[in-house]
Amino acid sequence: MSAATTRSRTPDRLCAEAVDLARAAAEEAAAPGVVGEHEGMVSEGDRVVTHFFGCRELGYRGWRWAVTVARASRAKVVTVDEAVLLPGPDAVLAPEWVPWSERLRPGDLGPGDLLPTEADDLRLEPGYTGAEEPPPNSALTEDLADLAESEDAEVTGGTPAEQTVAPSRGSIAAVAEELGMRRARVLSRYGLHAAADRWEEAFGPKTPMAQAAPASCESCGFLAPIGGSLGQAFGVCANEFSPADGRVVSLAYGCGGHSEAAVMPKPPQPAPPVIDETRVDPFPLRPSPDSGSVPATEDASSADLGHS
């Protein structure tokens, strides 16, 4: 270790003893009573020392006043360089600034807000290709340029996005517009995978609701299918009582509102009566004389009982 390094790490004696001078400078920069106790010092270099004092200002918990003092070579007078308020090791600091594009989260977009997309957004790709490059038999090629001028063909340079008027009939952009597919950009494979991962995480088979569901959405009658490649794995829930109503759900997702999970039971029906039509039960039109509770011939013992 060199002698210069040793001198720089060893606090100068006169500068280290100038605690009162540093406190006076801190109180002049702040206010009397705001500067707290002396919390130590650190050597900044040859004959340069920084003294730290606690800060009692409300809202600055963990901060401290830092007063740097120094003296010239071979001089005995210590002077003040600067007095600033700095955060300490336990200071409460604001989080590191993050650009708005990285702070934005799903659901932050409100009515009237505009969210611009970059030209090279990985989630998007051109909606149609080939319009920029003319086909071999096009009037835009060099071989047929003279023919286009002689026939007064309508030739417009630039891409369809740069044109101020509708493209000429017969071009790829014009056909796409007639078919209702003229979108400048569509989802790329990266955009499709990002959306699929996001939907899978929100309403996928690993959610607690799906784990406790009696069946998956694939067999639910409330599932509205969607087109495109995403339709092979996702759909839209149309059950107003489901927590995923109106949301894109995975076919492996499920909830207690499944259309076939809990069918209402039918009211119980009594068993039909069993009638044996092969047997005839005779019923006498008149009762038998001996079918009563007393004999037909009265005697002394049954006279008081009467007839049934």
Side-chain angles (χ1 to χ4, degrees):
M1 183 177 295
S2 63
T5 305
T6 305
R7 288 197 305 270
S8 63
R9 292 186 177 181
T10 302
D12 182 76
R13 183 180 61 85
L14 296 179
C15 293
E17 294 176 354
V19 178
D20 295 337
L21 176 64
R23 176 182 294 277
E27 291 181 350
E28 182 180 357
V34 176
V35 181
E37 300 296 332
H38 186 259
E39 296 183 355
M41 60 182 175
V42 63
S43 177
E44 304 288 355
D46 293 341
R47 298 178 300 278
V48 180
V49 174
T50 298
H51 293 271
F52 296 102
F53 301 91
C55 180
R56 299 176 180 175
E57 189 77 26
L58 297 178
Y60 288 88
R61 185 182 62 185
W63 289 62
R64 56 189 183 178
W65 287 98
V67 181
T68 303
V69 297
R71 70 179 180 89
S73 177
R74 298 182 182 181
K76 296 183 179 180
V77 178
V78 179
T79 59
V80 177
D81 285 355
E82 62 178 354
V84 294
L85 182 63
L86 298 178
D90 302 329
V92 179
L93 301 177
E96 185 178 357
W97 182 82
V98 180
W100 71 268
S101 58
E102 300 180 11
R103 298 196 308 267
L104 194 63
R105 292 293 180 268
D108 292 346
L109 196 65
D113 296 338
L114 297 178
L115 179 61
T117 56
E118 299 180 1
D120 55 350
D121 196 323
L122 297 178
R123 300 171 300 173
L124 301 173
E125 64 183 4
Y128 50 88
T129 58
E132 293 80 3
E133 298 294 335
N137 59 347
S138 173
L140 297 180
T141 60
E142 297 179 359
D143 299 338
L144 300 179
D146 298 336
L147 180 61
E149 294 179 0
S150 62
E151 295 182 356
D152 296 332
E154 181 183 356
V155 179
T156 304
T159 62
E162 299 174 352
Q163 298 177 9
T164 57
V165 296
S168 60
R169 184 177 181 83
S171 64
I172 297 179
V175 175
E177 183 178 10
E178 291 182 4
L179 297 178
M181 299 185 300
R182 190 183 182 188
R183 291 185 293 170
R185 291 183 292 177
V186 295
L187 278 174
S188 61
R189 293 185 62 86
Y190 173 80
L192 289 174
H193 285 293
D197 293 342
R198 190 169 59 253
W199 297 342
E200 191 83 13
E201 182 179 359
F203 297 98
K206 296 183 180 181
T207 58
M209 181 65 72
Q211 294 291 335
S216 62
C217 295
E218 186 176 7
S219 59
C220 182
F222 294 107
L223 182 72
I226 60 177
S229 59
L230 290 176
Q232 301 176 6
F234 298 94
V236 178
C237 178
N239 186 356
E240 61 177 328
F241 300 106
S242 172
D245 180 35
R247 305 292 186 89
V248 179
V249 296
S250 171
L251 298 182
Y253 180 75
C255 68
H258 194 280
S259 61
E260 311 301 328
V263 181
M264 293 296 294
K266 296 181 179 180
Q269 298 289 341
V274 179
I275 301 177
D276 188 0
E277 298 180 352
T278 62
R279 178 182 176 183
V280 178
D281 297 330
F283 291 96
L285 297 179
R286 295 179 180 179
S288 175
D290 57 351
S291 61
S293 58
V294 295
T297 304
E298 294 183 1
D299 55 5
S301 61
S302 60
D304 298 335
L305 299 178
H307 297 278
S308 58

Short mmCIF file of all heavy atoms in Angstrom, two decimals, residues 117-176:
data_model
loop_
_atom_site.label_atom_id
_atom_site.label_comp_id
_atom_site.label_asym_id
_atom_site.label_seq_id
_atom_site.Cartn_x
_atom_site.Cartn_y
_atom_site.Cartn_z
N THR A 117 -47.85 2.84 -30.40
CA THR A 117 -47.03 1.65 -30.58
C THR A 117 -45.85 1.99 -31.47
O THR A 117 -45.98 2.76 -32.42
CB THR A 117 -47.84 0.51 -31.20
OG1 THR A 117 -48.41 0.96 -32.44
CG2 THR A 117 -48.97 0.08 -30.28
N GLU A 118 -44.71 1.41 -31.16
CA GLU A 118 -43.52 1.68 -31.93
C GLU A 118 -43.61 1.01 -33.30
O GLU A 118 -44.33 0.02 -33.49
CB GLU A 118 -42.29 1.17 -31.18
CG GLU A 118 -42.10 1.84 -29.82
CD GLU A 118 -40.87 1.31 -29.11
OE1 GLU A 118 -40.19 0.45 -29.70
OE2 GLU A 118 -40.60 1.76 -27.99
N ALA A 119 -42.85 1.57 -34.24
CA ALA A 119 -42.87 1.01 -35.59
C ALA A 119 -42.30 -0.40 -35.63
O ALA A 119 -42.73 -1.22 -36.45
CB ALA A 119 -42.09 1.93 -36.54
N ASP A 120 -41.37 -0.70 -34.74
CA ASP A 120 -40.76 -2.03 -34.71
C ASP A 120 -41.25 -2.85 -33.53
O ASP A 120 -40.50 -3.63 -32.94
CB ASP A 120 -39.24 -1.92 -34.68
CG ASP A 120 -38.76 -1.06 -33.51
OD1 ASP A 120 -39.61 -0.41 -32.87
OD2 ASP A 120 -37.54 -1.04 -33.26
N ASP A 121 -42.51 -2.66 -33.14
CA ASP A 121 -43.09 -3.42 -32.04
C ASP A 121 -43.05 -4.90 -32.37
O ASP A 121 -43.55 -5.33 -33.43
CB ASP A 121 -44.52 -2.96 -31.77
CG ASP A 121 -45.03 -3.43 -30.41
OD1 ASP A 121 -44.68 -4.55 -30.00
OD2 ASP A 121 -45.76 -2.66 -29.76
N LEU A 122 -42.48 -5.70 -31.49
CA LEU A 122 -42.35 -7.13 -31.74
C LEU A 122 -43.68 -7.85 -31.75
O LEU A 122 -43.78 -8.97 -32.27
CB LEU A 122 -41.42 -7.77 -30.69
CG LEU A 122 -39.97 -7.27 -30.69
CD1 LEU A 122 -39.20 -7.95 -29.57
CD2 LEU A 122 -39.31 -7.53 -32.02
N ARG A 123 -44.71 -7.24 -31.18
CA ARG A 123 -46.02 -7.90 -31.14
C ARG A 123 -46.78 -7.77 -32.45
O ARG A 123 -47.82 -8.40 -32.61
CB ARG A 123 -46.86 -7.30 -30.01
CG ARG A 123 -46.25 -7.45 -28.62
CD ARG A 123 -47.03 -6.66 -27.61
NE ARG A 123 -47.02 -5.24 -27.95
CZ ARG A 123 -47.73 -4.31 -27.31
NH1 ARG A 123 -48.53 -4.68 -26.32
NH2 ARG A 123 -47.66 -3.05 -27.66
N LEU A 124 -46.29 -6.96 -33.38
CA LEU A 124 -47.00 -6.69 -34.62
C LEU A 124 -46.11 -7.00 -35.81
O LEU A 124 -44.88 -7.03 -35.70
CB LEU A 124 -47.45 -5.22 -34.68
CG LEU A 124 -48.36 -4.75 -33.55
CD1 LEU A 124 -48.57 -3.25 -33.64
CD2 LEU A 124 -49.68 -5.48 -33.58
N GLU A 125 -46.75 -7.26 -36.93
CA GLU A 125 -46.06 -7.49 -38.19
C GLU A 125 -46.95 -6.96 -39.31
O GLU A 125 -48.14 -6.70 -39.09
CB GLU A 125 -45.76 -8.97 -38.40
CG GLU A 125 -46.99 -9.84 -38.52
CD GLU A 125 -46.64 -11.31 -38.67
OE1 GLU A 125 -45.44 -11.65 -38.59
OE2 GLU A 125 -47.57 -12.10 -38.88
N PRO A 126 -46.41 -6.75 -40.50
CA PRO A 126 -47.24 -6.20 -41.59
C PRO A 126 -48.47 -7.06 -41.87
O PRO A 126 -48.42 -8.28 -41.88
CB PRO A 126 -46.27 -6.20 -42.78
CG PRO A 126 -44.92 -6.14 -42.18
CD PRO A 126 -45.01 -6.92 -40.89
N GLY A 127 -49.60 -6.38 -42.05
CA GLY A 127 -50.84 -7.10 -42.32
C GLY A 127 -50.89 -7.71 -43.71
O GLY A 127 -51.59 -8.69 -43.94
N TYR A 128 -50.16 -7.15 -44.64
CA TYR A 128 -50.09 -7.71 -46.00
C TYR A 128 -48.71 -7.40 -46.53
O TYR A 128 -48.10 -6.38 -46.21
CB TYR A 128 -51.17 -7.12 -46.91
CG TYR A 128 -51.24 -5.61 -46.89
CD1 TYR A 128 -50.46 -4.83 -47.74
CD2 TYR A 128 -52.08 -4.96 -45.98
CE1 TYR A 128 -50.51 -3.46 -47.70
CE2 TYR A 128 -52.13 -3.58 -45.94
CZ TYR A 128 -51.36 -2.83 -46.81
OH TYR A 128 -51.41 -1.47 -46.76
N THR A 129 -48.19 -8.26 -47.32
CA THR A 129 -46.84 -8.11 -47.88
C THR A 129 -46.93 -8.18 -49.39
O THR A 129 -47.88 -8.72 -49.96
CB THR A 129 -45.91 -9.20 -47.37
OG1 THR A 129 -46.45 -10.48 -47.72
CG2 THR A 129 -45.72 -9.11 -45.86
N GLY A 130 -45.90 -7.66 -50.04
CA GLY A 130 -45.84 -7.71 -51.49
C GLY A 130 -46.26 -6.42 -52.15
O GLY A 130 -45.99 -6.22 -53.34
N ALA A 131 -46.95 -5.52 -51.41
CA ALA A 131 -47.41 -4.28 -52.03
C ALA A 131 -46.24 -3.35 -52.32
O ALA A 131 -46.31 -2.53 -53.23
CB ALA A 131 -48.42 -3.59 -51.12
N GLU A 132 -45.17 -3.48 -51.54
CA GLU A 132 -44.02 -2.62 -51.77
C GLU A 132 -43.22 -3.04 -52.99
O GLU A 132 -42.57 -2.22 -53.64
CB GLU A 132 -43.12 -2.61 -50.52
CG GLU A 132 -43.75 -1.95 -49.31
CD GLU A 132 -44.71 -2.89 -48.59
OE1 GLU A 132 -44.82 -4.05 -49.05
OE2 GLU A 132 -45.35 -2.45 -47.62
N GLU A 133 -43.20 -4.32 -53.28
CA GLU A 133 -42.45 -4.83 -54.42
C GLU A 133 -43.41 -5.17 -55.55
O GLU A 133 -44.29 -5.99 -55.39
CB GLU A 133 -41.66 -6.09 -54.02
CG GLU A 133 -40.63 -5.82 -52.93
CD GLU A 133 -39.53 -4.90 -53.44
OE1 GLU A 133 -39.29 -4.87 -54.67
OE2 GLU A 133 -38.90 -4.22 -52.60
N PRO A 134 -43.28 -4.52 -56.70
CA PRO A 134 -44.19 -4.80 -57.81
C PRO A 134 -43.95 -6.19 -58.37
O PRO A 134 -42.82 -6.69 -58.39
CB PRO A 134 -43.84 -3.71 -58.83
CG PRO A 134 -42.42 -3.36 -58.53
CD PRO A 134 -42.27 -3.51 -57.05
N PRO A 135 -45.00 -6.87 -58.82
CA PRO A 135 -44.82 -8.19 -59.46
C PRO A 135 -44.07 -8.04 -60.78
O PRO A 135 -43.93 -6.95 -61.33
CB PRO A 135 -46.27 -8.66 -59.66
CG PRO A 135 -47.08 -7.42 -59.67
CD PRO A 135 -46.40 -6.47 -58.76
N PRO A 136 -43.58 -9.16 -61.33
CA PRO A 136 -42.79 -9.07 -62.57
C PRO A 136 -43.54 -8.45 -63.73
O PRO A 136 -42.95 -7.79 -64.58
CB PRO A 136 -42.42 -10.53 -62.84
CG PRO A 136 -42.49 -11.20 -61.51
CD PRO A 136 -43.60 -10.50 -60.78
N ASN A 137 -44.83 -8.66 -63.84
CA ASN A 137 -45.60 -8.14 -64.97
C ASN A 137 -46.29 -6.81 -64.65
O ASN A 137 -47.22 -6.41 -65.34
CB ASN A 137 -46.65 -9.15 -65.42
CG ASN A 137 -47.60 -9.50 -64.29
OD1 ASN A 137 -47.34 -9.19 -63.14
ND2 ASN A 137 -48.70 -10.18 -64.64
N SER A 138 -45.84 -6.15 -63.59
CA SER A 138 -46.47 -4.90 -63.20
C SER A 138 -45.94 -3.75 -64.03
O SER A 138 -44.83 -3.78 -64.56
CB SER A 138 -46.23 -4.63 -61.71
OG SER A 138 -46.69 -3.36 -61.35
N ALA A 139 -46.76 -2.72 -64.15
CA ALA A 139 -46.34 -1.52 -64.89
C ALA A 139 -45.28 -0.74 -64.15
O ALA A 139 -44.67 0.16 -64.72
CB ALA A 139 -47.55 -0.64 -65.15
N LEU A 140 -45.03 -1.10 -62.89
CA LEU A 140 -44.02 -0.39 -62.12
C LEU A 140 -42.61 -0.90 -62.41
O LEU A 140 -41.65 -0.31 -61.96
CB LEU A 140 -44.31 -0.53 -60.63
CG LEU A 140 -45.63 0.08 -60.15
CD1 LEU A 140 -45.77 -0.14 -58.65
CD2 LEU A 140 -45.69 1.57 -60.47
N THR A 141 -42.47 -2.03 -63.07
CA THR A 141 -41.15 -2.54 -63.38
C THR A 141 -40.49 -1.69 -64.45
O THR A 141 -41.15 -1.00 -65.23
CB THR A 141 -41.24 -4.00 -63.85
OG1 THR A 141 -42.07 -4.05 -65.02
CG2 THR A 141 -41.85 -4.88 -62.78
N GLU A 142 -39.18 -1.77 -64.49
CA GLU A 142 -38.44 -0.96 -65.46
C GLU A 142 -38.72 -1.39 -66.89
O GLU A 142 -38.73 -0.57 -67.81
CB GLU A 142 -36.94 -1.05 -65.15
CG GLU A 142 -36.56 -0.49 -63.79
CD GLU A 142 -35.07 -0.62 -63.54
OE1 GLU A 142 -34.38 -1.16 -64.44
OE2 GLU A 142 -34.61 -0.19 -62.47
N ASP A 143 -38.96 -2.67 -67.08
CA ASP A 143 -39.18 -3.16 -68.44
C ASP A 143 -40.46 -2.63 -69.05
O ASP A 143 -40.55 -2.41 -70.26
CB ASP A 143 -39.20 -4.70 -68.45
CG ASP A 143 -37.89 -5.29 -67.97
OD1 ASP A 143 -36.88 -4.56 -68.05
OD2 ASP A 143 -37.89 -6.45 -67.51
N LEU A 144 -41.48 -2.42 -68.18
CA LEU A 144 -42.77 -1.98 -68.70
C LEU A 144 -43.06 -0.53 -68.34
O LEU A 144 -44.22 -0.11 -68.37
CB LEU A 144 -43.89 -2.88 -68.16
CG LEU A 144 -43.77 -4.37 -68.52
CD1 LEU A 144 -44.92 -5.15 -67.91
CD2 LEU A 144 -43.76 -4.57 -70.03
N ALA A 145 -42.04 0.23 -67.97
CA ALA A 145 -42.28 1.63 -67.62
C ALA A 145 -42.75 2.44 -68.82
O ALA A 145 -43.68 3.26 -68.72
CB ALA A 145 -41.01 2.24 -67.04
N ASP A 146 -42.12 2.22 -69.98
CA ASP A 146 -42.54 2.94 -71.18
C ASP A 146 -43.95 2.56 -71.59
O ASP A 146 -44.73 3.41 -72.04
CB ASP A 146 -41.56 2.65 -72.33
CG ASP A 146 -40.15 3.13 -72.01
OD1 ASP A 146 -40.05 4.04 -71.16
OD2 ASP A 146 -39.20 2.58 -72.57
N LEU A 147 -44.29 1.29 -71.41
CA LEU A 147 -45.64 0.85 -71.77
C LEU A 147 -46.68 1.50 -70.87
O LEU A 147 -47.78 1.86 -71.30
CB LEU A 147 -45.72 -0.67 -71.67
CG LEU A 147 -47.08 -1.30 -72.01
CD1 LEU A 147 -47.46 -0.98 -73.46
CD2 LEU A 147 -47.05 -2.80 -71.79
N ALA A 148 -46.34 1.68 -69.60
CA ALA A 148 -47.27 2.32 -68.67
C ALA A 148 -47.52 3.76 -69.06
O ALA A 148 -48.65 4.26 -68.98
CB ALA A 148 -46.72 2.24 -67.25
N GLU A 149 -46.49 4.46 -69.51
CA GLU A 149 -46.66 5.84 -69.92
C GLU A 149 -47.48 5.95 -71.19
O GLU A 149 -48.31 6.85 -71.35
CB GLU A 149 -45.30 6.49 -70.11
CG GLU A 149 -44.50 6.63 -68.81
CD GLU A 149 -43.14 7.26 -69.07
OE1 GLU A 149 -42.86 7.57 -70.25
OE2 GLU A 149 -42.38 7.46 -68.11
N SER A 150 -47.26 5.02 -72.12
CA SER A 150 -48.01 5.08 -73.38
C SER A 150 -49.48 4.78 -73.19
O SER A 150 -50.34 5.29 -73.91
CB SER A 150 -47.40 4.09 -74.39
OG SER A 150 -47.51 2.76 -73.88
N GLU A 151 -49.81 3.94 -72.20
CA GLU A 151 -51.22 3.58 -71.96
C GLU A 151 -51.84 4.44 -70.87
O GLU A 151 -52.98 4.19 -70.47
CB GLU A 151 -51.31 2.11 -71.56
CG GLU A 151 -50.89 1.15 -72.68
CD GLU A 151 -51.04 -0.28 -72.25
OE1 GLU A 151 -51.38 -0.50 -71.07
OE2 GLU A 151 -50.83 -1.18 -73.09
N ASP A 152 -51.11 5.45 -70.40
CA ASP A 152 -51.61 6.33 -69.34
C ASP A 152 -52.06 5.54 -68.11
O ASP A 152 -53.12 5.76 -67.53
CB ASP A 152 -52.78 7.20 -69.84
CG ASP A 152 -52.33 8.15 -70.94
OD1 ASP A 152 -51.14 8.52 -70.93
OD2 ASP A 152 -53.17 8.49 -71.79
N ALA A 153 -51.23 4.56 -67.74
CA ALA A 153 -51.57 3.75 -66.57
C ALA A 153 -51.40 4.57 -65.30
O ALA A 153 -50.53 5.44 -65.20
CB ALA A 153 -50.68 2.51 -66.50
N GLU A 154 -52.24 4.29 -64.35
CA GLU A 154 -52.18 4.99 -63.07
C GLU A 154 -51.09 4.36 -62.21
O GLU A 154 -51.23 3.22 -61.76
CB GLU A 154 -53.52 4.92 -62.35
CG GLU A 154 -53.53 5.66 -61.01
CD GLU A 154 -54.85 5.49 -60.30
OE1 GLU A 154 -55.75 4.88 -60.87
OE2 GLU A 154 -54.97 5.99 -59.16
N VAL A 155 -50.01 5.07 -62.01
CA VAL A 155 -48.87 4.55 -61.26
C VAL A 155 -48.64 5.48 -60.08
O VAL A 155 -48.47 6.68 -60.25
CB VAL A 155 -47.61 4.45 -62.14
CG1 VAL A 155 -46.44 3.92 -61.31
CG2 VAL A 155 -47.87 3.56 -63.34
N THR A 156 -48.60 4.92 -58.89
CA THR A 156 -48.37 5.68 -57.66
C THR A 156 -47.20 5.08 -56.93
O THR A 156 -47.19 3.87 -56.67
CB THR A 156 -49.62 5.68 -56.75
OG1 THR A 156 -50.73 6.17 -57.49
CG2 THR A 156 -49.37 6.55 -55.53
N GLY A 157 -46.22 5.89 -56.63
CA GLY A 157 -45.04 5.40 -55.95
C GLY A 157 -45.22 5.35 -54.45
O GLY A 157 -46.12 5.98 -53.89
N GLY A 158 -44.35 4.60 -53.79
CA GLY A 158 -44.40 4.50 -52.33
C GLY A 158 -45.29 3.38 -51.87
O GLY A 158 -46.01 2.74 -52.64
N THR A 159 -45.22 3.12 -50.59
CA THR A 159 -46.04 2.06 -49.97
C THR A 159 -47.47 2.55 -49.79
O THR A 159 -47.74 3.76 -49.79
CB THR A 159 -45.44 1.67 -48.61
OG1 THR A 159 -45.46 2.80 -47.76
CG2 THR A 159 -43.99 1.19 -48.78
N PRO A 160 -48.44 1.64 -49.60
CA PRO A 160 -49.83 2.07 -49.37
C PRO A 160 -49.99 2.96 -48.15
O PRO A 160 -50.87 3.81 -48.11
CB PRO A 160 -50.56 0.73 -49.19
CG PRO A 160 -49.73 -0.26 -49.92
CD PRO A 160 -48.31 0.19 -49.76
N ALA A 161 -49.13 2.77 -47.14
CA ALA A 161 -49.26 3.61 -45.95
C ALA A 161 -48.87 5.06 -46.23
O ALA A 161 -49.32 5.97 -45.53
CB ALA A 161 -48.39 3.05 -44.82
N GLU A 162 -48.04 5.28 -47.26
CA GLU A 162 -47.60 6.63 -47.60
C GLU A 162 -48.51 7.32 -48.61
O GLU A 162 -48.31 8.49 -48.91
CB GLU A 162 -46.17 6.58 -48.14
CG GLU A 162 -45.17 6.02 -47.14
CD GLU A 162 -43.80 5.84 -47.75
OE1 GLU A 162 -43.70 6.01 -49.00
OE2 GLU A 162 -42.84 5.53 -47.02
N GLN A 163 -49.48 6.61 -49.16
CA GLN A 163 -50.34 7.19 -50.18
C GLN A 163 -51.44 8.01 -49.53
O GLN A 163 -52.01 7.64 -48.50
CB GLN A 163 -50.96 6.08 -51.03
CG GLN A 163 -49.93 5.25 -51.79
CD GLN A 163 -50.56 4.12 -52.56
OE1 GLN A 163 -51.78 4.06 -52.66
NE2 GLN A 163 -49.74 3.25 -53.12
N THR A 164 -51.73 9.14 -50.14
CA THR A 164 -52.79 10.02 -49.63
C THR A 164 -54.15 9.67 -50.21
O THR A 164 -55.16 10.11 -49.70
CB THR A 164 -52.45 11.48 -49.96
OG1 THR A 164 -52.29 11.62 -51.38
CG2 THR A 164 -51.15 11.88 -49.26
N VAL A 165 -54.18 8.91 -51.28
CA VAL A 165 -55.44 8.50 -51.91
C VAL A 165 -55.49 6.98 -51.91
O VAL A 165 -54.51 6.29 -51.63
CB VAL A 165 -55.54 9.06 -53.36
CG1 VAL A 165 -55.59 10.57 -53.33
CG2 VAL A 165 -54.37 8.58 -54.19
N ALA A 166 -56.65 6.46 -52.22
CA ALA A 166 -56.81 5.02 -52.25
C ALA A 166 -55.94 4.42 -53.35
O ALA A 166 -55.76 5.01 -54.42
CB ALA A 166 -58.28 4.66 -52.51
N PRO A 167 -55.35 3.26 -53.15
CA PRO A 167 -54.50 2.66 -54.17
C PRO A 167 -55.31 2.25 -55.39
O PRO A 167 -56.53 2.12 -55.36
CB PRO A 167 -53.91 1.45 -53.45
CG PRO A 167 -54.86 1.14 -52.37
CD PRO A 167 -55.44 2.45 -51.94
N SER A 168 -54.59 2.06 -56.48
CA SER A 168 -55.25 1.70 -57.73
C SER A 168 -55.89 0.33 -57.61
O SER A 168 -55.44 -0.54 -56.87
CB SER A 168 -54.23 1.71 -58.87
OG SER A 168 -53.19 0.78 -58.59
N ARG A 169 -56.93 0.13 -58.38
CA ARG A 169 -57.66 -1.12 -58.34
C ARG A 169 -56.80 -2.24 -58.93
O ARG A 169 -56.13 -2.07 -59.94
CB ARG A 169 -58.97 -0.98 -59.13
CG ARG A 169 -59.87 -2.22 -59.07
CD ARG A 169 -61.16 -1.97 -59.80
NE ARG A 169 -62.03 -3.12 -59.74
CZ ARG A 169 -62.82 -3.41 -58.73
NH1 ARG A 169 -62.87 -2.58 -57.69
NH2 ARG A 169 -63.60 -4.47 -58.72
N GLY A 170 -56.81 -3.36 -58.26
CA GLY A 170 -56.04 -4.49 -58.71
C GLY A 170 -54.78 -4.73 -57.92
O GLY A 170 -54.18 -5.80 -58.03
N SER A 171 -54.33 -3.75 -57.12
CA SER A 171 -53.14 -3.96 -56.31
C SER A 171 -53.49 -4.80 -55.09
O SER A 171 -54.66 -5.00 -54.75
CB SER A 171 -52.55 -2.61 -55.88
OG SER A 171 -53.46 -1.92 -55.04
N ILE A 172 -52.43 -5.27 -54.43
CA ILE A 172 -52.65 -6.10 -53.25
C ILE A 172 -53.36 -5.32 -52.15
O ILE A 172 -54.27 -5.82 -51.49
CB ILE A 172 -51.31 -6.65 -52.75
CG1 ILE A 172 -50.70 -7.56 -53.80
CG2 ILE A 172 -51.48 -7.40 -51.44
CD1 ILE A 172 -49.36 -8.14 -53.41
N ALA A 173 -52.99 -4.05 -51.98
CA ALA A 173 -53.63 -3.23 -50.96
C ALA A 173 -55.10 -3.00 -51.27
O ALA A 173 -55.95 -2.99 -50.38
CB ALA A 173 -52.90 -1.90 -50.83
N ALA A 174 -55.42 -2.80 -52.58
CA ALA A 174 -56.82 -2.56 -52.94
C ALA A 174 -57.66 -3.81 -52.71
O ALA A 174 -58.80 -3.74 -52.23
CB ALA A 174 -56.90 -2.12 -54.40
N VAL A 175 -57.12 -4.97 -53.07
CA VAL A 175 -57.87 -6.21 -52.84
C VAL A 175 -58.07 -6.45 -51.35
O VAL A 175 -59.15 -6.85 -50.90
CB VAL A 175 -57.12 -7.39 -53.50
CG1 VAL A 175 -57.82 -8.71 -53.16
CG2 VAL A 175 -57.07 -7.20 -55.00
N ALA A 176 -57.04 -6.17 -50.58
CA ALA A 176 -57.17 -6.35 -49.13
C ALA A 176 -58.22 -5.40 -48.55
O ALA A 176 -58.96 -5.76 -47.64
CB ALA A 176 -55.81 -6.12 -48.46
#
